[in-house]
Amino acid sequence: VFNTDTHDFGTVPEGPAATYEFKFKNKSKEPILLQRVQASSGCTTPTYSKEPVLPGKHGIIKASFNTQGRAGTFDKKITVVSNAGTKVLTIKGEVEKAPTSSVPENNSMIKTN
């Protein structure tokens, strides 16, 4: 059982990765083995424990979205396949475009003698 299956980051700055940890609890009587965790695109990287999650214990699936060069809205799916079935998790939000330069342009003319 996941605490949530969707996380909305709201507005995030372009540059640093937007990362969220989906937490789940094994409420069954058997260990849960995550067989495959796959993102819908290459800009999202899921990481997860390869160890079985024992009954009554918690597990984590971390989803990281690369915001660099991806200004605008995003809605990414992470498909989790385990011996308990298939679950689709979602991360979404909006990437605010970074300024093109942190140094103001110099519009003054250079004079030479």
Side-chain angles (χ1 to χ4, degrees):
V1 176
F2 281 86
N3 289 354
T4 183
D5 58 3
T6 300
H7 179 71
D8 187 345
F9 286 100
T11 302
V12 295
E14 180 183 3
T19 302
Y20 182 75
E21 290 185 347
F22 289 95
K23 296 178 182 172
F24 66 94
K25 183 174 183 176
N26 181 355
K27 291 191 172 185
S28 74
K29 294 181 179 178
E30 300 294 325
I32 291 179
L33 180 59
L34 300 177
Q35 298 161 336
R36 183 170 42 102
V37 178
Q38 184 173 2
S40 59
S41 69
C43 55
T44 304
T45 306
T47 55
Y48 60 98
S49 173
K50 309 297 190 263
E51 300 297 318
V53 178
L54 300 176
K57 299 295 180 183
H58 291 85
I60 294 174
I61 296 170
K62 187 191 305 186
S64 186
F65 176 71
N66 179 2
T67 64
Q68 188 63 48
R70 294 184 173 84
T73 59
F74 65 94
D75 187 331
K76 302 299 178 182
K77 309 294 185 205
I78 297 101
T79 303
V80 180
V81 179
S82 73
N83 59 328
T86 301
K87 178 78 172 172
V88 177
L89 306 172
T90 303
I91 56 172
K92 62 183 180 175
E94 183 169 356
V95 177
E96 186 175 70
K97 183 159 181 57
T100 54
S101 174
S102 59
V103 178
E105 288 186 35
N106 184 356
N107 292 327
S108 64
M109 296 187 62
I110 301 173
K111 295 182 181 182
T112 58
N113 292 340

